Amino acid sequence: DVAVKTGTAQVGTPVTSNADWMIGFAPAKDPKVAIAVVVPVQPVGSYGAVVAGPIVKAMLEFALG
């Protein structure tokens, strides 16, 4: 089990891009690993879970073996 939080920050005035992010830790009840991923300069309309989620998943899988 993992615990994560996603986010999307709009960048620029007017908004020209998104910065998508996800933070998380695992195992959720007894954390051994914490990870933060920020993916800047993404298209407007993108989401943290879609953009940063696969990166966090791969990193957690690698870290926890």
Side-chain angles (χ1 to χ4, degrees):
D1 291 337
V2 300
V4 298
K5 175 63 180 139
T6 65
T8 301
Q10 296 176 328
V11 180
T13 306
V15 175
T16 57
S17 66
N18 285 347
D20 297 316
W21 57 270
M22 180 180 276
I23 58 171
F25 56 88
K29 293 186 185 223
D30 186 23
K32 305 282 189 250
V33 178
I35 295 175
V37 172
V38 178
V39 186
V41 194
Q42 296 301 300
V44 172
S46 62
Y47 298 98
V50 175
V51 175
I55 300 167
V56 169
K57 180 181 180 203
M59 293 175 73
L60 285 171
E61 287 174 345
F62 178 81
L64 296 173

